[in-house]
C-alpha cells in the first residue's frame, strides 16, 4: 500500500515520483542509463495535451480500471473515471484479455481519447506457459515430488523457494518437456507480462471461441515478454543487481538441455516499455501514441 493510498495507475503512470528524487537519481544513474517514467519530467512534453492515465487491476476475483489526471501531484490526484469491476471466473488468458477490452471500452470516448499512459497490476506468481497457454494460479503448487527434485538448489530464504513460486512453476513445465529430444523454444510469462505483451502486440492470442490459443510471438523484439521487479521476484530475479542470478540460470539450464528457455526481460515498475500497438488488443480503443509502462503485482497496489 502506497502512502496516502495513491492509486496504482497514478504511481506507475502519472509521471510523478513516489521516492526520494535525490537518493534515487544518484543510485539509478550509477546502475544504468534508463530514466524511469515515475521520475518527474518536463511539462513541455507534448504528451501533456493528452492528460489522463489508465490503470488496470487484475486481482484474484475481478478486474478493475480507473483513470486519473496525470498532471496533478501525489496527494492531489483526481480520479476522472472508475470502471465497473468485471468478475473473473475461469482465470484464463481469453477471459483476461476480454476483461481488458471491456474495461477500456466502457470508458467514455471523450476521456479515452486523452489517455497518454497506461499500466496494470496482476496477481503475483500467476504464470502462463506460452506453449499451450496453460495457467497456474498464484496459489497453485506443483507436486511435492517435483519440487523436491530442485528445492535444495534454491537459496533457503529466497521467496522463490516454494512449491507455488514462479520459478517452481517454470521448472515444472520445462521438466515435462524432457521426453522431447528435439530442440525447442519455451516462453514463460506472468499474468501481468502477458497482458502487457498483448497490448504491445508482441504476443498475439486467438480469443475466438471458448478456448484461447497462441497465434504468434513477435520476432521483431529481442524481448517479446517484459516483466517487472515485483512480478519477477518469485522467479528468482535480483532487483539489487538487476539480473537473474547464476544459481537460477544454472538450475534452469540443467533442467532440460533440449529446451531454450526465454525468460522475461525485467524492467523497473513504471518504466516506459513501448506504446499501444496497432497489432495489440487495444488498438481500436486507445491512441497509438499512448505509452505503456512495466507493471507490478496486485499485492502492493493501492
Amino acid at each position: 500500500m502506497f502512502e496516502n493510498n495513491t492509486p496504482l495507475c497514478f504511481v506507475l503512470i502519472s509521471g510523478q515520483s513516489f521516492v526520494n528524487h535525490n537518493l534515487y537519481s544518484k543510485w539509478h544513474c550509477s546502475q544504468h542509463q534508463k530514466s524511469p517514467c515515475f521520475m518527474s519530467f518536463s511539462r513541455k512534453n507534448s504528451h501533456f495535451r493528452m492528460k489522463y492515465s489508465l490503470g488496470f487491476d487484475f486481482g484474484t476475483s475481478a478486474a478493475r480500471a480507473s483513470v486519473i489526471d496525470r498532471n496533478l501531484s501525489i496527494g492531489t490526484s483526481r480520479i476522472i473515471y472508475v470502471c465497473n469491476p468485471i468478475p473473473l471466473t475461469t482465470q484464463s488468458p481469453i477471459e483476461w484479455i476480454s476483461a481488458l477490452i471491456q474495461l477500456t471500452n466502457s470508458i467514455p470516448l471523450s476521456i479515452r481519447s486523452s489517455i497518454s499512459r497506461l499500466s496494470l497490476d496482476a496477481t503475483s506468481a500467476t504464470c502462463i506457459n506460452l506453449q499451450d497457454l496453460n495457467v497456474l494460479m498464484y496459489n497453485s503448487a506443483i507436486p511435492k515430488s517435483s519440487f523436491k527434485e530442485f528445492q535444495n538448489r534454491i537459496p533457503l530464504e529466497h521467496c522463490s523457494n516454494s512449491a507455488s513460486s514462479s520459478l517452481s512453476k517454470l521448472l515444472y513445465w520445462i521438466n515435462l518437456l524432457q521426453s522431447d529430444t528435439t530442440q525447442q523454444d519455451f516462453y514463460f510469462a506472468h499474468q501481468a507480462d502477458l497482458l502487457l505483451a498483448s497490448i504491445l502486440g508482441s504476443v498475439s492470442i486467438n480469443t475466438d471461441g471458448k478456448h484461447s490459443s497462441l497465434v504468434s510471438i513477435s520476432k521483431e523484439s529481442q524481448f517479446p515478454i517484459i516483466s517487472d521487479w515485483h512480478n519477477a521476484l518469485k522467479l528468482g530475479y535480483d532487483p539489487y543487481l538487476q539480473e537473474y542470478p547464476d544459481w537460477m540460470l544454472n538450475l534452469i539450464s540443467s533442467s532440460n538441455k533440449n529446451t531454450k528457455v526465454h525468460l522475461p526481460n525485467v524492467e523497473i515498475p513504471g518504466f516506459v516499455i513501448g506504446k499501444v500497438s496497432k497489432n495489440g488488443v487495444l488498438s481500436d480503443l486507445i491512441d497509438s501514441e499512448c505509452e505503456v509502462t512495466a507493471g507490478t503485482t496486485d499485492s502492493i497496489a493501492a
Side-chain angles (χ1 to χ4, degrees):
M1 196 69 86
F2 293 112
E3 185 179 2
N4 299 326
N5 292 328
T6 305
L8 161 75
C9 58
F10 181 77
V11 172
L12 290 187
I13 52 184
S14 66
Q16 302 296 323
S17 173
F18 61 89
V19 295
N20 182 304
H21 279 252
N22 293 328
L23 289 178
Y24 187 87
S25 295
K26 291 177 181 178
W27 171 81
H28 190 271
C29 291
S30 69
Q31 297 297 311
H32 56 77
Q33 299 303 311
K34 296 174 182 177
S35 177
C37 77
F38 49 64
M39 300 294 284
S40 296
F41 49 80
S42 170
R43 292 188 177 234
K44 294 180 181 179
N45 190 314
S46 62
H47 268 297
F48 275 91
R49 290 176 295 178
M50 299 171 62
K51 61 179 182 177
Y52 298 141
S53 296
L54 170 61
F56 298 96
D57 169 32
F58 280 78
T60 56
S61 60
R64 304 168 180 81
S66 59
V67 181
I68 63 167
D69 189 334
R70 66 177 287 180
N71 292 337
L72 300 177
S73 60
I74 284 184
T76 60
S77 59
R78 183 163 64 97
I79 296 177
I80 303 299
Y81 188 82
V82 177
C83 304
N84 291 325
I86 296 178
L88 299 176
T89 55
T90 64
Q91 291 292 0
S92 65
I94 188 172
E95 183 183 47
W96 301 338
I97 291 176
S98 176
L100 189 71
I101 295 171
Q102 288 182 59
L103 287 168
T104 307
N105 199 37
S106 70
I107 302 170
L109 180 60
S110 59
I111 295 176
R112 196 173 358 117
S113 61
S114 295
I115 293 174
S116 58
R117 186 165 289 180
L118 67 82
S119 192
L120 56 83
D121 72 74
T123 312
S124 171
T126 291
C127 306
I128 305 93
N129 170 351
L130 292 183
Q131 305 303 106
D132 56 13
L133 293 185
N134 183 25
V135 174
L136 287 176
M137 290 297 293
Y138 70 100
N139 57 350
S140 298
I142 67 171
K144 291 182 179 180
S145 58
S146 298
F147 181 55
K148 287 181 179 179
E149 291 179 6
F150 53 78
Q151 181 180 10
N152 292 336
R153 298 180 62 185
I154 303 175
L156 182 61
E157 300 299 325
H158 199 279
C159 62
S160 64
N161 195 325
S162 162
S164 61
S165 72
S166 301
L167 179 58
S168 292
K169 290 164 184 169
L170 169 61
L171 293 170
Y172 174 68
W173 275 324
I174 61 177
N175 280 334
L176 291 178
L177 299 173
Q178 283 184 342
S179 59
D180 193 337
T181 58
T182 59
Q183 181 71 35
Q184 55 187 311
D185 292 311
F186 183 91
Y187 287 88
F188 169 92
H190 299 95
Q191 182 182 20
D193 309 344
L194 177 65
L195 288 168
L196 289 174
S198 72
I199 296 172
L200 293 169
S202 55
V203 169
S204 178
I205 294 177
N206 181 3
T207 56
D208 295 332
K210 295 182 179 180
H211 302 288
S212 53
S213 59
L214 184 64
V215 176
S216 64
I217 297 176
S218 173
K219 302 301 181 182
E220 296 179 4
S221 172
Q222 183 181 2
F223 301 107
I225 306 298
I226 299 177
S227 192
D228 60 86
W229 283 2
H230 303 153
N231 274 291
L233 279 175
K234 293 180 182 178
L235 185 57
Y237 185 78
D238 188 333
Y240 181 77
L241 297 177
Q242 297 189 48
E243 64 183 17
Y244 290 112
D246 288 340
W247 65 262
M248 173 201 165
L249 297 177
N250 292 335
L251 180 54
I252 292 173
S253 63
S254 64
S255 295
N256 189 334
K257 298 293 185 180
N258 296 320
T259 301
K260 182 179 180 181
V261 178
H262 298 267
L263 295 171
N265 189 42
V266 183
E267 294 289 2
I268 301 168
F271 185 81
V272 176
I273 56 176
K275 293 183 179 181
V276 171
S277 170
K278 63 180 180 179
N279 299 319
V281 296
L282 299 184
S283 59
D284 295 332
L285 300 173
I286 299 290
D287 191 279
S288 61
E289 288 301 306
C290 177
E291 295 174 331
V292 180
T293 79
T296 184
T297 63
D298 69 337
S299 61
I300 63 169

